[in-house]
Amino acid sequence: QIDKYLYAMRLSDETLMDVMARFRREMKNGLSRDFNPTATVKMLPTFVRSIPDGSEKGDFIALDLGGSYFRILRVKVSHEKKQTVQMETEVYNTPEDIMHGSGTRLFDHVAECLGDFMEKQQIKDKKLPVGFTFSFPCRQSKLDEGILITWTKRFKASGVEGADVVRLLSRAIKKRGDYDADIMAVVNDTVGTMMTCGFDDQRCEVGLIIGTGTNACYMEEMRHIDLVEGDEGRMCINTEWGAFGDDGSLEDIRTEFDREIDRGSLNPGKQLFEKMVSGLYMGELVRLILVKMAKEGLLFEGRITPELLTKGKFETKHVSAIEKSKEGLSKAKDILMRLGVEPSHEDCVAVQHVCTIVSFRSANLVAAALGAILCQLRDNKGVGRLRTTVGVDGSLYKMHPQYARRLHKTTRRLVPDSDVRFLLSESGSGKGAAMVTAVAYRLAEQHRLIDETLAEFKLTHEQLLQVKKRMRTEMEAGLRKKSHETAKVKMLPTFVRSTPDGTENGDFLALDLGGTNFRVLLVKIRSGKRRTVEMHNKIYAIPIEVMQGTGEELFDHIVTCISDFLDYMGIKGARLPLGFTFSFPCKQTSLDAGILLNWTKGFKATDCEGEDVVYLLREGIKRREEFDLDVVAVVNDTVGTMMTCAYEDPNCEIGLIVGTGSNACYMEEMRNVEMVDGEQGRMCVNMEWGAFGDNGCLDDIRTVYDKAVDDFSLNAGKQRYEKMISGMYLGEIVRNILIDFTKRGFLFRGQISETLKTRHIFETKFLSQIERGREGAVWCPVRRESGNPARGGVKGLAPLVLLLPSFKCPGVSSTAALSVAKAGATGSPSPSCLPQRAALPPCSFSRIMHQTVKDLAPKCDVTFLLSEDGSGKGAALITAVGCRLRDAEQ
């Protein structure tokens, strides 16, 4: 009979799944910038970005205001053998007249209680950090600010809604003048609960309160939080789910009793979900049902007493007592008799059943809303099965004998693809406020040390001007005959005396060797009114054993690749002119002769250094005895890049490579090139600037990380400038920083994974991906084994993402960009060509580099032209120019 009477309160799993879907939509609206103003579930950012990691320490004060009692705690977190927490607590009463009086009176009362507590603790002379648990809906723009949106739980103090509670409390403390306090954080009780439990279980990423009121918080991905700038890491969101249904979305499951409760409340039309599930209203809900059933003759033989008609007489603690498995019926009889009723045994059974239905509905609705949060966490992590911990507090959850079990069972039924641990908060949310403060202290100190460490990468304008001046000195040393031999920046003549003039015509072969991949190209250049360049190419791999084998093996492999390409194109019988882009330091004696000075970029083939690479190529072709080629020119990739861009823009006179390695070339006046006879015209000079600093002239700006990368490289002490700026080394610099920060406890909970110890595992492309923002969580090879699981579900990733705003991989890459700009042109306006394989995305690297060139060379109007076709086309164009000049001489 009662089941039939309260049928509307018996919710099926289908209905609960529907409620879960509705709450998920409300969460999405609350997180959205466009829909948040009208959303009922406000999804408030808390600016809590991390849970405790076990390294916190210090002496903290916590205030906990959220009901008729007000708690103050002193929390000492120490590290001796293991992290321990000592707490001392005082509970103060918050009288009804203060709860309903003025805001000034309320905060004066809080400040008076805090003063009393500090007096008892004998710490009035200390300025300890304070965490403030304020269990009401607040809008925050930072951790130490909370603008009260609306009062709940019978509080109605005037002049507080719309004001910053931290400022109001600080003002009350200052007015007293007998002590000082540094309020570092204001948190909701749900956040405090999550942080308290997070101290014991680092998987905890949800906080849940089911007591006088109800609410939940959880760790959300920053990329989903439109109301806060930034996409990296996570932030705790205070859902304020008590207001779920205030827009009418739960009308189909609200009963006449829910509506009567709402009409008689202090805030009609608000907090409708909370009124259906929380401890403040559960007893009253049962009373209203009992009254109606009695009126209809279903209970107490139709007798109704004044006590039963009195609002608030049937309390939620009575519901808990009546639902106890053994003495529940006797408790029901005692409680009903105190209400003036003389119940029969059947009446007691019926009342117990009513209590069960009401409390069961509460647990089911909370499970549905919690299920929506768990689904969000699972989807955020992209995992098939979620493993997480929910920190729980609240008198209803703790005191009701069946509530917790029902909640757990329904949650697991609604979200079967999750392993959820429910962890009871033993110390309440006050300890959590202290832990939030401790985490804030830890992060602030870590950020300070990180900023201090990375400050060395942030070069000042004055430092860059100094570097520019030093590069100019090195350039002059390389150009002069008397100092060329000892110069580190070699300024090598290339014997390229002209850029394309548009009359080049014919079919040319080009080879492009400068890394692990090797390209062979056929370039068809047509002059006339409609100039065209048609290119065909094929890419071949160079195995590491060939790169580091013998010179003969390397050039035999190159010739084999050429043979395959000629077969592929069907041109093996033709003796085509060939240009050879050879991206290593060479001393040229003519356009078609280049003596290799030293290998770079991981190449170590023997019997090549000191030899003419064109001769080695020709000898390889002879050994093959399949075809012949006319090797017209050997060029560096920077020269090839310049020639490619000069074909499009005749003003181009600088070539710049910023990729695996880095180098530059430019057209120098012959009168300044002392290594080559003649003073007329110009010649392209290959700077080989990677060796800049090999004489120690950059030691004042090299960091310990630069030195570590150099020490473990194949050519220690050489190419120092290149190792500071190029793509081959940037990732390795970051890896060394990560290892250092991990050793110092800033990342991955101080645990260095075996993967992270692997040299070159952190590739430069990861910097590009991290700097793109929303895709910042992609560096899989490093995250695979980085310490204990982090909150984001990706092992060890979350701590780094958390620190990115201050840590900034851009700190490293931006310095590289600045460094590339250090040469700072001082001549006439000219385009500078960059290869397409620049190390980092245009949004950071190229933008910073362009701006820095502008700052360091303000009298120059420089255009940067991206080389779309690489240096291989440039080699063909040099060959075409060489053939044109050779034909003219003949």
Side-chain angles (χ1 to χ4, degrees), residues 378-606:
R378 183 196 61 209
D379 292 351
N380 284 350
K381 295 176 183 183
V383 294
R385 190 168 188 83
L386 176 70
R387 189 179 174 197
T388 192
T389 297
V390 177
V392 197
D393 200 0
S395 54
L396 184 56
Y397 182 88
K398 286 179 178 179
M399 306 306 293
H400 190 289
Q402 313 294 336
Y403 197 97
R405 183 179 56 80
R406 291 169 185 166
L407 173 66
H408 302 171
K409 193 173 180 180
T410 307
T411 301
R412 288 168 181 140
R413 201 169 65 245
L414 294 178
V415 193
D417 49 0
S418 62
D419 296 317
V420 184
R421 180 189 181 207
F422 289 86
L423 181 61
L424 185 64
S425 171
E426 300 292 351
S427 313
S429 54
K431 175 184 170 184
M435 295 314 300
V436 171
T437 307
V439 169
Y441 243 63
R442 168 174 62 80
L443 292 180
E445 180 62 12
Q446 284 185 1
H447 286 186
R448 186 187 67 77
L449 293 171
I450 286 168
D451 283 343
E452 194 178 273
T453 302
L454 295 181
E456 293 182 63
F457 288 95
K458 296 170 185 175
L459 303 179
T460 65
H461 185 73
E462 289 69 28
Q463 284 176 303
L464 291 171
L465 284 173
Q466 272 298 311
V467 174
K468 172 183 161 183
K469 184 179 177 182
R470 294 173 201 173
M471 177 65 95
R472 194 70 188 268
T473 301
E474 294 296 312
M475 287 168 67
E476 288 171 4
L479 286 170
R480 291 192 182 122
K481 190 176 283 187
K482 67 179 181 181
S483 52
H484 177 84
E485 199 62 38
T486 57
K488 295 302 179 184
V489 180
K490 283 298 182 186
M491 306 298 287
L492 302 170
T494 65
F495 294 84
V496 172
R497 299 171 185 269
S498 172
T499 54
D501 67 0
T503 63
E504 293 75 21
N505 194 71
D507 294 353
F508 305 92
L509 273 181
L511 313 181
D512 191 354
L513 176 66
T516 52
N517 290 329
F518 165 61
R519 284 202 309 160
V520 186
L521 306 89
L522 173 64
V523 183
K524 298 182 177 184
I525 302 172
R526 299 294 178 262
S527 59
K529 288 183 180 178
R530 292 187 61 189
R531 295 190 308 163
T532 60
V533 176
E534 181 186 330
M535 293 201 302
H536 305 270
N537 74 86
K538 203 169 176 184
I539 298 174
Y540 299 90
I542 300 182
I544 189 77
E545 61 270 18
V546 174
M547 289 169 61
Q548 298 183 4
T550 66
E552 192 170 295
E553 287 170 344
L554 174 62
F555 281 93
D556 282 350
H557 179 74
I558 291 168
V559 171
T560 300
C561 297
I562 297 170
S563 175
D564 176 77
F565 182 77
L566 295 177
D567 282 335
Y568 173 71
M569 296 302 300
I571 53 173
K572 213 167 204 177
R575 186 176 186 267
L576 295 176
L578 177 141
F580 186 10
T581 301
F582 189 73
S583 307
F584 304 93
C586 281
K587 181 177 181 180
Q588 288 187 250
T589 52
S590 65
L591 189 58
D592 64 349
I595 311 299
L596 176 63
L597 297 178
N598 57 275
W599 283 118
T600 57
K601 305 174 198 171
F603 276 73
K604 278 286 182 182
T606 59

Side-chain angles (χ1 to χ4, degrees), residues 714-869:
L714 286 170
N715 55 349
K718 295 181 178 179
Q719 300 295 110
R720 288 181 176 177
Y721 181 65
E722 182 171 78
K723 288 169 187 171
M724 292 169 75
I725 64 173
S726 76
M728 188 168 183
Y729 300 99
L730 282 191
E732 188 62 5
I733 291 172
V734 171
R735 188 185 71 87
N736 276 275
I737 294 171
L738 296 184
I739 287 174
D740 180 39
F741 284 2
T742 305
K743 285 178 180 175
R744 292 159 72 181
F746 302 160
L747 298 176
F748 314 137
R749 302 195 199 111
Q751 296 180 28
I752 304 172
S753 71
E754 289 304 313
T755 312
L756 190 56
K757 290 177 186 174
T758 307
R759 288 181 57 232
H760 302 295
I761 194 73
F762 196 106
E763 300 174 47
T764 298
K765 68 181 180 183
F766 297 158
L767 273 72
S768 304
Q769 291 163 343
I770 288 169
E771 288 194 54
R772 284 193 185 105
R774 287 183 182 262
E775 299 163 22
V778 292
W779 37 293
C780 309
V782 177
R783 72 186 183 188
R784 213 170 283 138
E785 299 175 28
S786 298
N788 289 332
R791 297 301 71 67
V794 176
K795 295 184 178 179
L797 179 60
L800 174 67
V801 173
L802 171 75
L803 295 173
L804 269 174
S806 61
F807 167 108
K808 287 188 180 172
C809 282
V812 180
S813 61
S814 301
T815 302
L818 298 177
S819 303
V820 169
K822 289 171 187 173
T826 52
S828 57
S830 68
S832 180
C833 317
L834 288 124
Q836 200 166 17
R837 59 176 184 267
L840 290 161
C843 60
S844 83
F845 193 99
S846 56
R847 175 178 52 78
I848 294 167
M849 192 189 79
H850 298 174
Q851 184 58 49
T852 308
V853 168
K854 191 175 179 181
D855 293 344
L856 296 179
K859 295 181 182 177
C860 296
D861 181 12
V862 183
T863 301
F864 288 89
L865 184 62
L866 188 64
S867 170
E868 300 291 350
D869 300 313

Side-chain angles (χ1 to χ4, degrees), residues 680-725:
Q680 296 302 311
R682 300 198 299 170
M683 180 179 287
C684 180
V685 168
N686 167 22
M687 294 178 65
E688 289 298 340
W689 75 5
F692 179 36
D694 287 4
N695 59 359
C697 69
L698 295 180
D699 284 357
D700 58 325
I701 61 166
R702 288 175 77 222
T703 68
V704 290
Y705 308 109
D706 295 310
K707 290 166 186 169
V709 167
D710 181 37
D711 289 343
F712 288 97
S713 65
L714 286 170
N715 55 349
K718 295 181 178 179
Q719 300 295 110
R720 288 181 176 177
Y721 181 65
E722 182 171 78
K723 288 169 187 171
M724 292 169 75
I725 64 173

Side-chain angles (χ1 to χ4, degrees), residues 345-372:
H345 177 74
E346 288 74 18
D347 286 336
C348 292
V349 171
V351 169
Q352 188 181 57
H353 200 50
V354 169
C355 290
T356 299
I357 289 171
V358 171
S359 64
F360 217 130
R361 183 186 71 155
S362 168
N364 283 344
L365 286 172
V366 170
L370 178 61

